[in-house]
Amino acid sequence: MAVVASAPGKVLMTGGYLVLERPNAGIVLSTNARFYAIVKPLYDEIKPESWAWGWTDVKLTSSQMARETLYKLSLKHLKLQPVSSSGSRNPFVEHAVQYAVAAAHAILDKDKDTLQRLLLQGLDITILGCNEFYSYRNQIEARGLPLTPESLASLPPFASITFNAEESTGQNRKPEVAKTGLGSSAAMTTAVVAALLHYLGVVNLSSLDEDQLQGKKDVADLDVVHVIAQTAHCIAQGKVGSGFDVSSAVYGSQHYIRFSPEVLSSAQNAGMATPLTEVIDDVLKAKWDHERTKFSLPPLMTLLLGEPGCGGSSTPSMVGAVKKWQRSDPQDSLETWRRLSEGNSALEVHLNTLSKLAERHYNAYECFINACSLLPAEKWLERANEPTQAEIVKELLGARDAMLQIRYQMRKMGEAAGIPIEPESQSQLLDATMNMEGVLLAGIPGAGGFDAVFAVTLGASNKNVTQAWSSLNVLAMLVREDPHGVSLENNDPRAKEITTAVSSIQLE
Ligand SMILES: Nc1ncnc2c1ncn2[C@@H]1O[C@H](COP(=O)(O)OP(=O)(O)O)[C@@H](O)[C@H]1O
Ligand SMILES: C[C@@](O)(CCOP(=O)(O)OP(=O)(O)O)CC(=O)O
């Protein structure tokens, strides 16, 4: 039986760079862009003599990258050895497989026979990332289609990924693939770990949605997925980021404070000879001190992402430049971080207050937000003519001011560090967007640079913003906030996409 698990992509709305250092927090929104991993046996039968074998087979297929790799997995050392490949390696998935299998050995100490049987049947792993993770601007332009979400929707699901040209170098180095910045590697690693841990019987993810609906606190299985995915992601990446991307891929939208990097030290310091089960034992027992609390946008607000068409930026080189600046100018950098942190907290407080106001006075809230959605922000105050509306408008304008402060400090940080955190072209786009009717705020997510920009819009104004972006040569993506983290799927997503396409044709 195939197991299909999925994990969402993310948008780091506040906390870029700061979230790398405890106790600074980041607000991360998970999205409807999901990465899928399908795990099934390679062989139906196990040959009787195979019990004596020291190896099993693993096949990894990424059709979007036209890659298929066959591996041998050593059943003793739990390490993968490629035997044939139609392209370069995938360190994220390779580490995900090795660590998930090692976790199965470490955790399932009683029922080793079932595990051995599953492994001897071989592992057939397929990975699929939603189109939203990748940039399709070039294809849309090449096909002569308008730069609209409808053109994006007309692409086949799980379309082929465009590789960036290799010649780009230096601090503006482009990533391997034309990505939109939604955290494809974190979502991919998490989906593979979740699917494998479920397939091998280490965790049971089938009641996740019910547990979440009932608000059950016990998320022990998710915690195992998190530790294994976070370890695999860091080791594959060769660096320890803040981990907000893996955390949101596992648990969904949240207010996040990073883990202390020491929790990963045994995985980082493990030599070639260290048994992987020992590494897994250590990381599972380590004191994971990250914090996450529930966060989602207030009602009637929509997260929009717009791709300005610059091919994305490489986060590690930007982080390196910021760290260099912190070392060279501790005083100025501390002050900028203090102000940024103030702006981040203020924005969060305003958004949380708006959520509470919506809860307490839903009708007044709905009516006022819909009215503001038709007006530019400078007209919102005049429109508030009763006390609840005055309270709401105060929070809306407070959120805008906080965003402007964040943007100002992010620009300053970029200038001081000599990197384009909010480059001029993005500033112009963000200013224009913040002046559009019904736009609460706009910013650059995460590390900034030339990745897609985000906006938060009120009521139905997202449609007008989408059109306005199209006339500014910005492609509004089909991404929306979706607070769900990891999930077990009933079907192969390719079958689902086909069914959805067929039923939408029938409905027309
Ligand atoms: N569908 C895929 N198949 C195989 N590898 C992928 C796929 N999607 C992404 N990757 C890997 O993930 C890398 C991008 O990860 P990352 O830097 O986290 O990007 P982002 O977070 O901005 O989406 C790619 O360079 C590629 O190595
Ligand atoms: C700088 C950071 O704080 C935020 C980077 O956020 P992005 O969303 O830009 O990340 P990528 O998906 O890797 O491009 C680094 C971190 O927190 O790890």
Side-chain angles (χ1 to χ4, degrees):
M1 252 287 276
V3 165
V4 187
S6 69
K10 52 69 197 170
V11 174
L12 186 69
M13 195 164 79
T14 67
Y17 303 96
L18 272 70
V19 71
L20 284 162
E21 285 181 19
R22 281 173 67 84
N24 295 321
I27 296 179
V28 52
L29 302 178
S30 55
T31 69
N32 58 349
R34 298 188 78 84
F35 217 105
Y36 296 85
I38 307 166
V39 176
K40 55 182 197 239
L42 257 182
Y43 314 114
D44 291 337
E45 304 281 320
I46 305 173
K47 297 200 184 96
E49 68 273 20
S50 66
W51 289 94
W53 294 347
W55 299 84
T56 188
D57 297 322
V58 175
K59 185 168 111 181
L60 173 64
T61 310
S62 164
S63 45
Q64 288 165 294
M65 283 188 136
R67 284 181 189 167
E68 190 180 280
T69 311
L70 288 176
Y71 300 90
K72 288 281 176 200
L73 174 71
S74 147
L75 293 172
K76 182 155 180 250
H77 304 292
L78 313 180
K79 299 260 166 82
L80 285 169
Q81 206 74 67
V83 283
S84 85
S85 168
S86 56
S88 44
R89 309 268 296 266
N90 188 326
F92 296 102
V93 176
E94 289 173 17
H95 281 87
V97 173
Q98 293 176 162
Y99 287 130
V101 173
H105 277 280
I107 296 171
L108 301 171
D109 41 25
K110 282 188 219 92
D111 195 9
K112 284 273 167 65
D113 266 9
T114 316
L115 174 62
Q116 197 71 355
R117 182 180 295 276
L118 282 172
L119 291 176
L120 284 172
Q121 278 186 276
L123 298 170
D124 181 348
I125 305 171
T126 303
I127 51 173
L128 295 158
C130 279
N131 289 350
E132 286 71 34
F133 284 104
Y134 313 105
S135 175
Y136 291 98
R137 269 188 77 112
N138 291 348
Q139 284 95 315
I140 288 183
E141 280 167 356
R143 288 189 199 187
L145 295 171
L147 275 179
T148 59
E150 289 74 24
S151 301
L152 276 174
S154 73
L155 293 170
F158 310 111
S160 299
I161 302 167
T162 310
F163 288 83
N164 274 324
E166 265 171 35
E167 71 264 21
S168 48
T169 48
Q171 271 167 356
N172 287 340
R173 214 180 64 223
K174 287 188 179 173
E176 180 194 14
V177 298
K179 62 187 182 93
T180 51
L182 292 178
S184 49
S185 63
M188 173 170 69
T189 308
T190 305
V192 171
V193 167
L196 270 174
L197 290 181
H198 185 88
Y199 179 77
L200 298 174
V202 184
V203 297
N204 183 355
L205 304 178
S206 37
S207 60
L208 264 184
D209 278 349
E210 281 159 46
D211 287 356
Q212 277 161 358
L213 276 175
Q214 289 166 16
K216 278 198 194 156
K217 290 270 179 304
D218 182 15
V219 284
D221 280 353
L222 278 187
D223 293 343
V224 175
V225 173
H226 175 251
V227 168
I228 305 302
Q230 182 62 81
T231 309
H233 192 252
C234 276
I235 302 299
Q237 216 172 18
K239 71 172 180 91
V240 186
S242 68
F244 77 92
D245 44 2
V246 177
S247 190
S248 57
V250 177
Y251 305 101
S253 296
Q254 60 191 271
H255 161 112
Y256 175 79
I257 300 178
R258 70 160 308 151
F259 54 83
S260 300
E262 301 81 72
V263 293
L264 287 172
S265 56
S266 63
Q268 287 178 300
N269 302 331
M272 287 299 282
T274 319
L276 271 189
T277 43
E278 212 172 274
V279 173
I280 292 299
D281 246 352
D282 285 347
V283 290
L284 282 171
K285 283 190 197 123
K287 197 177 169 312
W288 287 83
D289 51 358
H290 59 289
E291 286 170 37
R292 65 187 160 82
T293 41
K294 207 169 145 349
F295 180 88
S296 54
L297 287 177
L300 303 177
M301 293 194 189
T302 305
L303 173 74
L304 280 189
L305 283 178
E307 214 203 307
C310 322
S313 295
S314 169
T315 301
S317 52
M318 310 252 289
V319 170
V322 168
K323 287 195 168 154
K324 199 167 147 207
W325 160 66
Q326 285 178 300
R327 284 193 299 271
S328 69
D329 192 350
Q331 214 177 344
D332 198 34
S333 59
L334 253 169
E335 184 55 17
T336 306
W337 274 41
R338 194 184 59 75
R339 286 169 193 258
L340 256 172
S341 168
E342 271 172 19
N344 291 342
S345 310
L347 179 56
E348 186 173 352
V349 169
H350 289 300
L351 292 175
N352 282 336
T353 311
L354 282 161
S355 293
K356 284 193 199 111
L357 283 168
E359 230 173 83
R360 263 188 275 138
H361 314 279
Y362 191 76
N363 289 343
Y365 177 89
E366 182 182 31
C367 174
F368 189 62
I369 294 288
N370 285 336
C372 292
S373 73
L374 304 170
L375 302 168
E378 69 200 68
K379 298 262 164 61
W380 293 349
L381 197 56
E382 300 165 17
R383 184 65 184 67
N385 40 31
E386 48 108 346
T388 311
Q389 295 183 344
E391 265 186 89
I392 297 171
V393 83
K394 191 173 131 238
E395 299 305 324
L396 292 176
L397 297 177
R400 276 177 78 84
D401 282 348
M403 192 70 223
L404 289 172
Q405 186 188 340
I406 294 169
R407 286 187 46 208
Y408 176 72
Q409 298 299 338
M410 288 291 254
R411 275 198 304 273
K412 243 179 97 180
M413 177 157 71
E415 279 154 24
I419 42 159
I421 294 184
E422 192 194 285
E424 183 52 32
S425 59
Q426 301 279 54
S427 290
Q428 284 176 12
L429 170 61
L430 295 176
D431 289 341
T433 305
M434 281 190 75
N435 289 330
M436 291 174 193
E437 281 135 30
V439 174
L440 177 65
L441 46 89
I444 36 127
F450 296 98
D451 285 352
V453 300
F454 73 87
V456 175
T457 61
L458 305 181
S461 63
N462 56 314
K463 295 194 187 74
N464 301 334
V465 176
T466 297
Q467 274 171 11
W469 272 356
S470 178
S471 64
L472 291 172
N473 209 24
V474 174
L475 174 58
M477 295 164 58
L478 295 165
V479 178
R480 294 289 180 268
E481 185 202 5
D482 180 339
H484 293 96
V486 134
S487 134
L488 199 65
E489 306 286 331
N490 295 325
N491 292 308
D492 185 321
R494 290 165 294 189
K496 194 168 75 193
E497 296 278 355
I498 292 162
T499 325
T500 320
V502 171
S503 53
S504 67
I505 292 166
Q506 283 166 350
L507 282 173
E508 275 166 12

